[in-house]
Amino acid sequence: MFEARSIGGKLLLQLVLTALAIPFLLPLVAMVQGSLAGLGWRNYLTVLSVPAVPLFFRNTILLSAITIVIVYALTMMAAFGFAKTRIAGKQFFFWALLVSLTLPEVVLITPLFLSVAATGLYNTIFAVLIPLAALQIPFTVLLTRTFIEGIPDSLLEAARIDGASTWQAFWHMILPLTRPIGAAIVMLTLIGTWNTYLLPLLFLSDPSSQVLTQLPGYFQGLYNDDQTKVLASAVITAFPVIVAYLCLQRLFERGLSAGALK
Amino acid sequence: MTTTAVTSTPPRSSKAVGGARRRRLLQPSGFLWITPALVLSSGLVYFCIAYTLYVSTLDWNGVSPNPVNVGFGNYLKLLQDPVFWLALQHTVFFFVVTFAVQTVLGLLFAVLLHSKVRLASVYKVIIFLPVVLAPAIMAPVFRNLFASNGEFNQILETVGLGFLAQPWLAQSSTAMFVLVVMNIWHSTGFAFLLYYSAMGQIEPEIIEAARIDGAGNLRVLWHVIVPGVRGTMLALATLAVIGTLKLFDIPYLVTLGGPNYATEFLGTLIYRQTVPLGYVGYGAALSIALLFLALTLSVILNLRGREKRDATVPIEAAGVGMGGKE
Protein backbone atom coordinates (compact mmCIF):
# COMPACT_ATOMS: atom_id res chain seq x y z
CA MET A 1 0.00 0.00 0.00
CA PHE A 2 2.79 2.37 0.95
CA GLU A 3 5.27 2.73 -1.84
CA ALA A 4 8.94 3.33 -1.27
CA ARG A 5 11.02 3.61 -4.39
CA SER A 6 14.43 4.41 -2.87
CA ILE A 7 16.43 2.10 -0.61
CA GLY A 8 16.25 4.74 2.11
CA GLY A 9 12.48 4.78 1.90
CA LYS A 10 12.30 1.01 2.14
CA LEU A 11 14.58 1.07 5.13
CA LEU A 12 12.44 3.75 6.75
CA LEU A 13 9.26 1.65 6.36
CA GLN A 14 11.01 -1.34 7.89
CA LEU A 15 12.33 0.77 10.77
CA VAL A 16 8.95 2.30 11.57
CA LEU A 17 7.36 -1.14 11.53
CA THR A 18 10.01 -2.56 13.83
CA ALA A 19 9.81 0.36 16.25
CA LEU A 20 6.04 -0.07 16.49
CA ALA A 21 6.24 -3.84 16.88
CA ILE A 22 8.88 -3.99 19.63
CA PRO A 23 6.53 -2.87 22.44
CA PHE A 24 4.27 -5.82 21.55
CA LEU A 25 7.13 -8.20 22.07
CA LEU A 26 8.44 -6.62 25.29
CA PRO A 27 5.97 -8.12 27.79
CA LEU A 28 6.65 -11.57 26.37
CA VAL A 29 10.40 -11.07 26.66
CA ALA A 30 9.94 -9.77 30.20
CA MET A 31 7.79 -12.79 31.04
CA VAL A 32 10.37 -15.31 29.82
CA GLN A 33 13.27 -13.39 31.37
CA GLY A 34 11.49 -13.06 34.69
CA SER A 35 10.65 -16.75 34.74
CA LEU A 36 14.36 -17.56 34.33
CA ALA A 37 15.56 -15.20 37.04
CA GLY A 38 16.97 -16.63 40.24
CA LEU A 39 17.09 -20.39 39.83
CA GLY A 40 16.89 -20.36 36.01
CA TRP A 41 15.37 -23.50 34.49
CA ARG A 42 14.83 -24.95 37.94
CA ASN A 43 11.86 -22.58 38.33
CA TYR A 44 10.13 -24.57 35.62
CA LEU A 45 11.04 -27.87 37.24
CA THR A 46 9.64 -26.65 40.55
CA VAL A 47 6.41 -25.47 38.94
CA LEU A 48 5.96 -28.64 36.92
CA SER A 49 6.60 -30.87 39.92
CA VAL A 50 3.70 -29.36 41.87
CA PRO A 51 1.12 -32.17 41.82
CA ALA A 52 -1.79 -29.83 41.06
CA VAL A 53 -0.30 -28.59 37.78
CA PRO A 54 -1.20 -31.62 35.62
CA LEU A 55 -4.72 -31.40 37.04
CA PHE A 56 -5.03 -27.74 35.99
CA PHE A 57 -3.89 -28.75 32.51
CA ARG A 58 -6.23 -31.73 32.31
CA ASN A 59 -9.20 -29.62 33.41
CA THR A 60 -8.48 -26.88 30.89
CA ILE A 61 -7.99 -29.37 28.07
CA LEU A 62 -11.22 -31.16 28.93
CA LEU A 63 -13.07 -27.87 29.25
CA SER A 64 -11.77 -26.62 25.90
CA ALA A 65 -12.31 -29.90 24.06
CA ILE A 66 -15.90 -30.41 25.20
CA THR A 67 -16.82 -26.77 24.64
CA ILE A 68 -15.31 -26.83 21.14
CA VAL A 69 -17.28 -29.96 20.19
CA ILE A 70 -20.57 -28.53 21.47
CA VAL A 71 -20.02 -25.10 19.94
CA TYR A 72 -18.91 -26.52 16.59
CA ALA A 73 -21.82 -28.96 16.29
CA LEU A 74 -24.56 -26.56 17.36
CA THR A 75 -23.09 -23.68 15.36
CA MET A 76 -22.86 -25.62 12.12
CA MET A 77 -26.40 -26.92 12.44
CA ALA A 78 -27.88 -23.56 13.39
CA ALA A 79 -25.92 -21.60 10.78
CA PHE A 80 -27.05 -24.08 8.09
CA GLY A 81 -30.60 -23.78 9.37
CA PHE A 82 -30.54 -20.00 9.24
CA ALA A 83 -28.77 -19.78 5.88
CA LYS A 84 -30.34 -22.52 3.80
CA THR A 85 -33.65 -23.72 5.19
CA ARG A 86 -37.04 -22.13 5.54
CA ILE A 87 -38.18 -21.37 9.05
CA ALA A 88 -41.26 -19.43 10.03
CA GLY A 89 -40.15 -16.32 11.90
CA LYS A 90 -36.50 -16.87 10.99
CA GLN A 91 -35.51 -13.24 11.55
CA PHE A 92 -37.13 -13.21 14.97
CA PHE A 93 -35.19 -16.26 16.11
CA PHE A 94 -31.98 -14.91 14.65
CA TRP A 95 -32.25 -11.63 16.55
CA ALA A 96 -33.29 -13.47 19.68
CA LEU A 97 -30.00 -15.31 19.43
CA LEU A 98 -27.98 -12.18 18.62
CA VAL A 99 -29.08 -10.28 21.71
CA SER A 100 -26.70 -12.38 23.78
CA LEU A 101 -23.77 -11.08 21.70
CA THR A 102 -23.78 -7.91 23.72
CA LEU A 103 -24.20 -9.72 27.00
CA PRO A 104 -21.42 -9.25 29.56
CA GLU A 105 -21.03 -12.53 31.41
CA VAL A 106 -20.76 -10.71 34.73
CA VAL A 107 -24.49 -9.93 34.32
CA LEU A 108 -25.26 -13.62 34.63
CA ILE A 109 -23.44 -14.38 37.85
CA THR A 110 -26.37 -14.40 40.27
CA PRO A 111 -28.72 -16.68 38.30
CA LEU A 112 -25.83 -18.90 37.26
CA PHE A 113 -24.64 -19.21 40.83
CA LEU A 114 -28.06 -20.27 42.06
CA SER A 115 -28.54 -22.73 39.18
CA VAL A 116 -25.11 -24.22 39.76
CA ALA A 117 -25.81 -24.60 43.47
CA ALA A 118 -29.23 -26.13 42.78
CA THR A 119 -27.90 -28.68 40.28
CA GLY A 120 -24.83 -29.66 42.29
CA LEU A 121 -22.47 -28.68 39.48
CA TYR A 122 -20.29 -26.57 41.79
CA ASN A 123 -16.61 -27.50 41.38
CA THR A 124 -17.24 -29.36 38.12
CA ILE A 125 -16.20 -28.03 34.72
CA PHE A 126 -19.83 -28.22 33.57
CA ALA A 127 -20.61 -25.16 35.69
CA VAL A 128 -18.21 -23.22 33.44
CA LEU A 129 -18.70 -25.14 30.21
CA ILE A 130 -22.44 -24.66 29.71
CA PRO A 131 -22.51 -20.85 30.06
CA LEU A 132 -19.32 -20.54 28.02
CA ALA A 133 -20.76 -22.52 25.13
CA ALA A 134 -24.07 -20.66 25.39
CA LEU A 135 -22.32 -17.29 25.16
CA GLN A 136 -19.99 -18.36 22.34
CA ILE A 137 -22.61 -19.83 20.02
CA PRO A 138 -24.42 -16.63 18.92
CA PHE A 139 -21.17 -15.14 17.68
CA THR A 140 -20.00 -18.23 15.82
CA VAL A 141 -23.46 -18.71 14.29
CA LEU A 142 -23.33 -15.16 12.98
CA LEU A 143 -19.92 -15.69 11.36
CA THR A 144 -20.83 -19.08 9.95
CA ARG A 145 -24.24 -18.09 8.60
CA THR A 146 -22.60 -15.40 6.47
CA PHE A 147 -20.11 -17.96 5.21
CA ILE A 148 -22.75 -20.59 4.36
CA GLU A 149 -24.91 -17.99 2.59
CA GLY A 150 -22.01 -17.64 0.17
CA ILE A 151 -22.42 -21.27 -0.91
CA PRO A 152 -24.65 -21.26 -4.03
CA ASP A 153 -28.17 -22.63 -3.57
CA SER A 154 -27.84 -24.44 -6.88
CA LEU A 155 -25.22 -26.74 -5.38
CA LEU A 156 -27.57 -27.87 -2.65
CA GLU A 157 -30.49 -28.15 -5.05
CA ALA A 158 -28.43 -30.34 -7.34
CA ALA A 159 -27.59 -32.58 -4.40
CA ARG A 160 -31.25 -32.88 -3.48
CA ILE A 161 -32.31 -33.64 -7.05
CA ASP A 162 -29.69 -36.37 -7.06
CA GLY A 163 -31.49 -37.84 -4.09
CA ALA A 164 -29.44 -36.63 -1.13
CA SER A 165 -31.34 -35.98 2.08
CA THR A 166 -30.87 -32.68 3.87
CA TRP A 167 -28.66 -34.42 6.38
CA GLN A 168 -26.48 -35.93 3.64
CA ALA A 169 -26.17 -32.54 1.95
CA PHE A 170 -25.15 -31.04 5.28
CA TRP A 171 -22.66 -33.78 6.04
CA HIS A 172 -21.10 -34.20 2.59
CA MET A 173 -21.24 -30.65 1.27
CA ILE A 174 -21.68 -28.01 3.96
CA LEU A 175 -19.17 -29.42 6.44
CA PRO A 176 -16.29 -29.84 3.96
CA LEU A 177 -17.00 -26.48 2.31
CA THR A 178 -17.00 -24.61 5.62
CA ARG A 179 -13.63 -25.87 6.79
CA PRO A 180 -11.96 -22.41 6.93
CA ILE A 181 -14.73 -20.97 9.08
CA GLY A 182 -14.65 -24.20 11.06
CA ALA A 183 -11.01 -23.52 11.91
CA ALA A 184 -11.96 -20.01 12.99
CA ILE A 185 -14.69 -21.43 15.26
CA VAL A 186 -12.28 -23.91 16.81
CA MET A 187 -9.65 -21.24 17.34
CA LEU A 188 -12.03 -18.63 18.76
CA THR A 189 -13.63 -21.14 21.10
CA LEU A 190 -10.23 -22.42 22.14
CA ILE A 191 -9.06 -18.89 22.96
CA GLY A 192 -12.31 -18.20 24.78
CA THR A 193 -12.24 -21.33 26.94
CA TRP A 194 -8.51 -21.48 27.50
CA ASN A 195 -8.54 -17.85 28.65
CA THR A 196 -11.77 -17.80 30.64
CA TYR A 197 -11.36 -16.44 34.14
CA LEU A 198 -14.54 -15.04 35.70
CA LEU A 199 -16.62 -18.22 35.55
CA PRO A 200 -13.88 -20.46 37.00
CA LEU A 201 -13.28 -17.83 39.68
CA LEU A 202 -16.92 -18.19 40.69
CA PHE A 203 -17.54 -21.90 40.28
CA LEU A 204 -14.24 -23.71 40.68
CA SER A 205 -12.76 -23.23 44.12
CA ASP A 206 -11.27 -26.65 44.72
CA PRO A 207 -7.72 -26.90 43.25
CA SER A 208 -8.49 -30.33 41.78
CA SER A 209 -11.21 -28.80 39.60
CA GLN A 210 -9.47 -25.53 38.71
CA VAL A 211 -8.23 -24.44 35.30
CA LEU A 212 -5.03 -22.91 33.95
CA THR A 213 -6.07 -19.26 34.23
CA GLN A 214 -6.21 -19.85 37.99
CA LEU A 215 -2.66 -21.18 38.06
CA PRO A 216 -0.88 -17.82 38.59
CA GLY A 217 -3.23 -17.11 41.50
CA TYR A 218 -2.58 -20.57 42.90
CA PHE A 219 1.18 -20.01 42.79
CA GLN A 220 0.75 -16.54 44.23
CA GLY A 221 -0.75 -18.28 47.23
CA LEU A 222 1.83 -21.06 47.24
CA TYR A 223 5.05 -19.12 46.80
CA ASN A 224 3.89 -15.76 48.08
CA ASP A 225 6.37 -13.32 46.67
CA ASP A 226 8.45 -15.59 44.48
CA GLN A 227 7.42 -13.97 41.21
CA THR A 228 9.77 -16.17 39.19
CA LYS A 229 7.55 -19.20 39.84
CA VAL A 230 4.43 -17.24 38.99
CA LEU A 231 6.00 -16.12 35.72
CA ALA A 232 7.21 -19.62 34.93
CA SER A 233 3.64 -20.86 35.37
CA ALA A 234 2.46 -18.08 33.06
CA VAL A 235 4.91 -19.18 30.36
CA ILE A 236 3.84 -22.81 30.70
CA THR A 237 0.19 -21.82 30.37
CA ALA A 238 0.72 -19.51 27.42
CA PHE A 239 2.80 -22.01 25.47
CA PRO A 240 0.03 -24.36 24.21
CA VAL A 241 -2.16 -21.49 22.95
CA ILE A 242 0.78 -20.01 21.10
CA VAL A 243 1.50 -23.34 19.41
CA ALA A 244 -2.18 -23.82 18.54
CA TYR A 245 -2.33 -20.35 17.06
CA LEU A 246 0.81 -20.86 14.99
CA CYS A 247 -0.55 -24.16 13.62
CA LEU A 248 -4.01 -22.88 12.73
CA GLN A 249 -2.93 -19.35 11.81
CA ARG A 250 -3.54 -19.51 8.05
CA LEU A 251 -6.90 -21.26 8.22
CA PHE A 252 -7.98 -19.06 11.08
CA GLU A 253 -7.23 -15.78 9.33
CA ARG A 254 -8.86 -16.96 6.11
CA GLY A 255 -11.98 -18.09 7.91
CA LEU A 256 -12.28 -15.00 10.04
CA SER A 257 -11.96 -12.61 7.15
CA ALA A 258 -14.22 -14.72 4.92
CA GLY A 259 -16.91 -14.86 7.57
CA ALA A 260 -16.51 -11.29 8.64
CA LEU A 261 -16.06 -9.36 5.45
CA LYS A 262 -18.28 -10.88 2.81
CA MET B 1 -43.45 -34.41 -8.55
CA THR B 2 -40.15 -36.26 -8.48
CA THR B 3 -38.59 -33.42 -6.54
CA THR B 4 -41.26 -33.69 -3.87
CA ALA B 5 -40.50 -37.32 -3.46
CA VAL B 6 -36.91 -36.68 -2.41
CA THR B 7 -37.60 -33.89 0.07
CA SER B 8 -37.58 -35.26 3.55
CA THR B 9 -40.45 -33.06 4.67
CA PRO B 10 -43.79 -32.74 2.91
CA PRO B 11 -43.93 -29.55 0.87
CA ARG B 12 -46.18 -26.79 2.07
CA SER B 13 -49.01 -25.99 -0.26
CA SER B 14 -47.95 -22.78 -1.87
CA LYS B 15 -49.72 -20.42 -4.18
CA ALA B 16 -46.42 -19.26 -5.60
CA VAL B 17 -45.73 -20.43 -9.11
CA GLY B 18 -42.70 -21.34 -11.22
CA GLY B 19 -39.23 -20.73 -9.80
CA ALA B 20 -40.38 -19.50 -6.43
CA ARG B 21 -42.46 -22.60 -5.93
CA ARG B 22 -39.65 -24.86 -7.01
CA ARG B 23 -37.30 -23.18 -4.48
CA ARG B 24 -39.89 -23.63 -1.76
CA LEU B 25 -40.05 -27.33 -2.42
CA LEU B 26 -36.32 -27.68 -2.51
CA GLN B 27 -35.67 -25.74 0.66
CA PRO B 28 -36.29 -28.04 3.57
CA SER B 29 -37.97 -26.87 6.72
CA GLY B 30 -35.22 -26.14 9.18
CA PHE B 31 -36.58 -25.53 12.63
CA LEU B 32 -34.96 -28.65 14.03
CA TRP B 33 -31.56 -27.43 12.85
CA ILE B 34 -31.65 -24.27 14.93
CA THR B 35 -33.40 -25.69 17.99
CA PRO B 36 -30.37 -27.01 19.92
CA ALA B 37 -28.49 -23.70 19.65
CA LEU B 38 -31.60 -21.73 20.57
CA VAL B 39 -32.36 -23.90 23.57
CA LEU B 40 -28.83 -23.72 24.94
CA SER B 41 -28.01 -20.07 24.16
CA SER B 42 -31.23 -18.15 24.22
CA GLY B 43 -32.70 -20.43 26.87
CA LEU B 44 -29.88 -19.81 29.30
CA VAL B 45 -29.49 -16.13 28.49
CA TYR B 46 -33.16 -15.15 28.73
CA PHE B 47 -33.66 -17.21 31.86
CA CYS B 48 -30.70 -15.43 33.44
CA ILE B 49 -31.88 -11.97 32.40
CA ALA B 50 -35.38 -12.58 33.72
CA TYR B 51 -34.02 -13.94 36.97
CA THR B 52 -31.61 -11.02 37.39
CA LEU B 53 -34.47 -8.58 36.78
CA TYR B 54 -36.41 -10.28 39.57
CA VAL B 55 -33.44 -10.32 41.98
CA SER B 56 -32.77 -6.63 41.27
CA THR B 57 -36.00 -5.76 43.11
CA LEU B 58 -34.89 -7.54 46.27
CA ASP B 59 -32.82 -6.66 49.26
CA TRP B 60 -31.10 -10.00 49.50
CA ASN B 61 -27.70 -11.44 50.49
CA GLY B 62 -28.07 -14.52 48.28
CA VAL B 63 -28.65 -17.08 51.03
CA SER B 64 -31.30 -15.65 53.34
CA PRO B 65 -34.57 -17.59 52.92
CA ASN B 66 -36.78 -14.51 53.05
CA PRO B 67 -35.52 -11.68 50.84
CA VAL B 68 -37.26 -8.32 51.19
CA ASN B 69 -38.88 -6.79 48.14
CA VAL B 70 -37.72 -3.21 47.76
CA GLY B 71 -39.17 -2.41 44.32
CA PHE B 72 -36.96 0.12 42.58
CA GLY B 73 -34.95 0.75 45.73
CA ASN B 74 -31.76 -0.76 44.32
CA TYR B 75 -32.00 1.39 41.21
CA LEU B 76 -32.42 4.54 43.29
CA LYS B 77 -29.41 3.51 45.34
CA LEU B 78 -27.47 2.99 42.11
CA LEU B 79 -28.21 6.50 40.86
CA GLN B 80 -26.87 7.92 44.12
CA ASP B 81 -23.80 5.70 44.28
CA PRO B 82 -20.70 7.81 43.51
CA VAL B 83 -18.68 4.66 42.71
CA PHE B 84 -21.17 3.73 39.98
CA TRP B 85 -20.70 7.10 38.28
CA LEU B 86 -16.96 6.87 38.77
CA ALA B 87 -16.97 3.45 37.08
CA LEU B 88 -18.95 4.91 34.17
CA GLN B 89 -16.44 7.75 33.79
CA HIS B 90 -13.61 5.23 33.77
CA THR B 91 -15.44 3.20 31.14
CA VAL B 92 -15.81 6.21 28.84
CA PHE B 93 -12.20 7.30 29.31
CA PHE B 94 -10.87 3.78 28.81
CA PHE B 95 -12.92 3.31 25.66
CA VAL B 96 -11.87 6.61 24.09
CA VAL B 97 -8.16 6.13 24.72
CA THR B 98 -7.86 2.45 23.86
CA PHE B 99 -10.05 2.74 20.77
CA ALA B 100 -8.13 5.75 19.44
CA VAL B 101 -4.71 4.14 19.93
CA GLN B 102 -5.87 0.73 18.72
CA THR B 103 -7.31 2.28 15.54
CA VAL B 104 -4.19 4.25 14.70
CA LEU B 105 -1.84 1.36 15.43
CA GLY B 106 -4.07 -1.23 13.75
CA LEU B 107 -4.31 0.84 10.57
CA LEU B 108 -0.59 1.58 10.52
CA PHE B 109 0.37 -2.05 10.96
CA ALA B 110 -2.11 -3.15 8.30
CA VAL B 111 -0.85 -0.59 5.80
CA LEU B 112 2.81 -1.30 6.53
CA LEU B 113 2.33 -5.04 6.21
CA HIS B 114 0.50 -4.61 2.91
CA SER B 115 3.54 -2.69 1.67
CA LYS B 116 6.67 -4.43 0.49
CA VAL B 117 8.48 -5.14 3.75
CA ARG B 118 10.64 -8.05 4.78
CA LEU B 119 9.62 -10.73 7.29
CA ALA B 120 5.97 -9.62 7.14
CA SER B 121 4.72 -12.91 8.57
CA VAL B 122 6.97 -12.57 11.63
CA TYR B 123 5.57 -9.13 12.39
CA LYS B 124 2.03 -10.42 11.95
CA VAL B 125 2.62 -13.10 14.55
CA ILE B 126 4.18 -10.65 17.01
CA ILE B 127 1.23 -8.28 16.72
CA PHE B 128 -1.48 -10.93 16.89
CA LEU B 129 0.00 -13.14 19.56
CA PRO B 130 -1.19 -10.97 22.51
CA VAL B 131 -4.79 -11.54 21.37
CA VAL B 132 -4.60 -15.24 22.16
CA LEU B 133 -2.92 -14.79 25.55
CA ALA B 134 -5.30 -14.60 28.51
CA PRO B 135 -5.34 -11.40 30.56
CA ALA B 136 -5.42 -13.74 33.56
CA ILE B 137 -2.05 -15.15 32.49
CA MET B 138 -0.53 -11.82 31.52
CA ALA B 139 -1.70 -9.91 34.61
CA PRO B 140 1.27 -11.01 36.77
CA VAL B 141 3.59 -10.07 33.91
CA PHE B 142 2.18 -6.55 33.67
CA ARG B 143 2.17 -6.17 37.44
CA ASN B 144 5.90 -6.95 37.45
CA LEU B 145 6.56 -4.83 34.38
CA PHE B 146 5.10 -1.73 36.05
CA ALA B 147 6.27 -2.41 39.60
CA SER B 148 8.50 0.32 41.07
CA ASN B 149 11.57 -1.85 40.41
CA GLY B 150 10.07 -3.25 37.19
CA GLU B 151 11.32 -3.27 33.62
CA PHE B 152 9.31 -0.23 32.58
CA ASN B 153 11.07 2.04 35.08
CA GLN B 154 14.41 0.48 34.14
CA ILE B 155 13.79 1.29 30.49
CA LEU B 156 12.87 4.88 31.40
CA GLU B 157 16.13 5.21 33.28
CA THR B 158 18.16 3.70 30.45
CA VAL B 159 16.82 6.22 27.93
CA GLY B 160 17.44 9.11 30.32
CA LEU B 161 13.85 9.60 31.46
CA GLY B 162 14.58 8.32 34.96
CA PHE B 163 12.74 11.26 36.53
CA LEU B 164 9.51 9.76 35.16
CA ALA B 165 10.02 6.48 37.01
CA GLN B 166 7.35 5.92 39.64
CA PRO B 167 5.30 3.19 41.33
CA TRP B 168 2.74 3.07 38.51
CA LEU B 169 0.29 0.66 40.12
CA ALA B 170 0.34 2.11 43.63
CA GLN B 171 -0.92 5.60 42.68
CA SER B 172 -4.50 6.50 41.83
CA SER B 173 -3.23 8.87 39.17
CA THR B 174 -1.24 6.31 37.18
CA ALA B 175 -2.89 2.91 37.74
CA MET B 176 -5.39 3.48 34.93
CA PHE B 177 -2.48 4.11 32.54
CA VAL B 178 -1.19 0.58 33.13
CA LEU B 179 -4.61 -0.94 32.41
CA VAL B 180 -4.93 1.10 29.22
CA VAL B 181 -1.49 -0.03 28.07
CA MET B 182 -2.31 -3.66 28.81
CA ASN B 183 -5.60 -3.49 26.94
CA ILE B 184 -4.01 -1.84 23.92
CA TRP B 185 -1.36 -4.54 23.94
CA HIS B 186 -4.04 -7.22 24.15
CA SER B 187 -6.52 -5.93 21.56
CA THR B 188 -4.58 -4.14 18.82
CA GLY B 189 -3.80 -7.41 17.06
CA PHE B 190 -7.46 -8.08 16.48
CA ALA B 191 -8.07 -4.61 15.01
CA PHE B 192 -4.98 -5.08 12.86
CA LEU B 193 -6.20 -8.42 11.50
CA LEU B 194 -9.61 -7.04 10.52
CA TYR B 195 -8.09 -3.93 8.91
CA TYR B 196 -5.57 -6.11 7.14
CA SER B 197 -8.33 -8.27 5.63
CA ALA B 198 -10.45 -5.24 4.76
CA MET B 199 -7.53 -3.57 2.98
CA GLY B 200 -6.99 -6.71 0.96
CA GLN B 201 -10.39 -6.07 -0.61
CA ILE B 202 -9.57 -2.55 -1.82
CA GLU B 203 -8.96 -2.70 -5.54
CA PRO B 204 -5.29 -2.02 -6.36
CA GLU B 205 -6.44 -0.08 -9.44
CA ILE B 206 -7.98 2.62 -7.25
CA ILE B 207 -4.72 3.11 -5.37
CA GLU B 208 -2.80 3.04 -8.65
CA ALA B 209 -5.09 5.71 -10.10
CA ALA B 210 -4.59 7.93 -7.05
CA ARG B 211 -0.83 7.58 -7.41
CA ILE B 212 -0.93 8.46 -11.09
CA ASP B 213 -2.87 11.58 -10.09
CA GLY B 214 0.13 12.44 -7.91
CA ALA B 215 -1.06 11.43 -4.43
CA GLY B 216 1.68 10.55 -1.97
CA ASN B 217 1.63 7.78 0.63
CA LEU B 218 -0.15 9.76 3.31
CA ARG B 219 -2.81 11.12 0.95
CA VAL B 220 -3.49 7.62 -0.35
CA LEU B 221 -3.85 6.42 3.23
CA TRP B 222 -6.20 9.21 4.24
CA HIS B 223 -8.32 9.54 1.10
CA VAL B 224 -8.42 6.01 -0.29
CA ILE B 225 -7.56 3.42 2.35
CA VAL B 226 -9.27 4.86 5.43
CA PRO B 227 -12.60 5.44 3.64
CA GLY B 228 -12.29 1.91 2.26
CA VAL B 229 -12.22 0.36 5.73
CA ARG B 230 -14.83 2.59 7.37
CA GLY B 231 -17.21 -0.35 7.80
CA THR B 232 -14.55 -2.28 9.70
CA MET B 233 -13.79 0.75 11.83
CA LEU B 234 -17.41 1.09 12.86
CA ALA B 235 -17.54 -2.60 13.64
CA LEU B 236 -14.46 -2.33 15.81
CA ALA B 237 -15.97 0.67 17.58
CA THR B 238 -18.99 -1.44 18.52
CA LEU B 239 -16.71 -4.18 19.73
CA ALA B 240 -14.63 -1.78 21.78
CA VAL B 241 -17.72 -0.27 23.42
CA ILE B 242 -19.03 -3.67 24.43
CA GLY B 243 -15.56 -4.90 25.34
CA THR B 244 -15.05 -1.94 27.67
CA LEU B 245 -18.45 -2.40 29.28
CA LYS B 246 -17.57 -6.07 29.82
CA LEU B 247 -14.13 -5.34 31.21
CA PHE B 248 -13.39 -7.48 34.25
CA ASP B 249 -10.24 -9.60 34.10
CA ILE B 250 -7.75 -6.79 33.53
CA PRO B 251 -8.81 -4.39 36.33
CA TYR B 252 -9.64 -7.24 38.71
CA LEU B 253 -6.31 -9.00 38.33
CA VAL B 254 -3.95 -6.07 37.89
CA THR B 255 -5.28 -3.48 40.33
CA LEU B 256 -8.40 -4.99 41.99
CA GLY B 257 -10.22 -1.81 40.99
CA GLY B 258 -7.97 0.26 43.19
CA PRO B 259 -6.15 2.09 44.55
CA ASN B 260 -9.09 3.91 46.11
CA TYR B 261 -11.55 2.99 43.26
CA ALA B 262 -9.23 4.65 40.72
CA THR B 263 -9.66 1.72 38.32
CA GLU B 264 -13.17 0.57 39.22
CA PHE B 265 -15.25 -0.59 36.24
CA LEU B 266 -18.83 -1.84 36.08
CA GLY B 267 -17.64 -5.44 35.89
CA THR B 268 -15.47 -5.23 39.01
CA LEU B 269 -18.14 -3.22 40.84
CA ILE B 270 -20.83 -5.84 40.13
CA TYR B 271 -18.49 -8.62 41.21
CA ARG B 272 -17.51 -6.83 44.42
CA GLN B 273 -21.10 -6.04 45.39
CA THR B 274 -22.43 -9.49 44.52
CA VAL B 275 -19.75 -11.89 45.69
CA PRO B 276 -17.49 -10.56 48.47
CA LEU B 277 -19.98 -8.02 49.88
CA GLY B 278 -23.09 -10.14 49.34
CA TYR B 279 -25.38 -7.31 48.17
CA VAL B 280 -26.89 -9.63 45.57
CA GLY B 281 -29.95 -7.47 44.92
CA TYR B 282 -27.85 -4.37 44.35
CA GLY B 283 -25.42 -6.32 42.16
CA ALA B 284 -28.36 -7.47 40.05
CA ALA B 285 -29.58 -3.88 39.62
CA LEU B 286 -26.08 -2.88 38.50
CA SER B 287 -26.10 -5.84 36.09
CA ILE B 288 -29.37 -4.72 34.54
CA ALA B 289 -27.98 -1.20 34.17
CA LEU B 290 -24.91 -2.64 32.43
CA LEU B 291 -27.03 -4.81 30.14
CA PHE B 292 -29.21 -1.82 29.28
CA LEU B 293 -26.16 0.27 28.37
CA ALA B 294 -24.61 -2.51 26.27
CA LEU B 295 -27.81 -3.16 24.32
CA THR B 296 -28.66 0.50 23.77
CA LEU B 297 -25.19 1.44 22.61
CA SER B 298 -24.86 -1.48 20.21
CA VAL B 299 -28.30 -0.81 18.72
CA ILE B 300 -27.40 2.87 18.22
CA LEU B 301 -24.05 2.02 16.62
CA ASN B 302 -25.64 -0.60 14.37
CA LEU B 303 -28.44 1.69 13.22
CA ARG B 304 -25.97 4.45 12.38
CA GLY B 305 -23.92 1.89 10.48
CA ARG B 306 -26.99 0.82 8.53
CA GLU B 307 -27.61 4.42 7.48
CA LYS B 308 -24.14 4.69 6.04
CA ARG B 309 -24.96 1.62 3.96
CA ASP B 310 -21.54 0.07 4.53
CA ALA B 311 -22.54 -1.73 7.68
CA THR B 312 -21.45 -5.30 7.76
CA VAL B 313 -23.30 -6.78 10.68
CA PRO B 314 -21.00 -9.78 10.90
CA ILE B 315 -17.90 -7.78 11.63
CA GLU B 316 -19.82 -5.54 13.90
CA ALA B 317 -20.28 -8.56 15.98
CA ALA B 318 -16.97 -10.09 15.02
CA GLY B 319 -14.96 -9.23 18.05
CA VAL B 320 -17.77 -9.40 20.50
CA GLY B 321 -16.85 -12.93 21.23
CA MET B 322 -13.29 -11.99 21.76
CA GLY B 323 -14.07 -8.72 23.38
CA GLY B 324 -15.94 -10.66 25.96
CA LYS B 325 -12.84 -12.38 27.08
CA GLU B 326 -11.00 -9.23 27.86
Side-chain angles (χ1 to χ4, degrees), chain A residues 27-111:
Chain A
L28 296 177
V29 175
M31 170 164 88
V32 175
Q33 240 176 14
S35 73
L36 290 171
L39 296 173
W41 287 107
R42 296 229 294 281
N43 288 327
Y44 285 90
L45 294 181
T46 318
V47 168
L48 286 173
S49 65
V50 172
V53 170
L55 284 179
F56 281 72
F57 262 98
R58 186 202 67 184
N59 294 335
T60 288
I61 290 169
L62 263 181
L63 177 69
S64 296
I66 301 175
T67 313
I68 286 171
V69 170
I70 293 176
V71 169
Y72 181 80
L74 298 196
T75 297
M76 282 300 162
M77 289 178 63
F80 173 68
F82 280 121
K84 295 292 181 196
T85 65
R86 84 189 133 72
I87 297 164
K90 193 192 268 188
Q91 284 306 311
F92 169 78
F93 289 117
F94 193 62
W95 284 105
L97 197 62
L98 287 199
V99 166
S100 26
L101 271 180
T102 57
L103 197 78
E105 55 190 1
V106 74
V107 168
L108 308 179
I109 58 181
T110 301

Side-chain angles (χ1 to χ4, degrees), chain B residues 98-140:
Chain B
T98 51
F99 180 66
V101 178
Q102 169 201 299
T103 304
V104 171
L105 280 179
L107 280 171
L108 265 180
F109 279 129
V111 168
L112 285 168
L113 288 170
H114 266 301
S115 313
K116 286 199 180 81
V117 288
R118 285 174 189 278
L119 298 171
S121 52
V122 176
Y123 288 99
K124 266 167 89 178
V125 169
I126 292 174
I127 299 157
F128 195 76
L129 213 46
V131 177
V132 304
L133 296 175
I137 298 303
M138 295 310 291

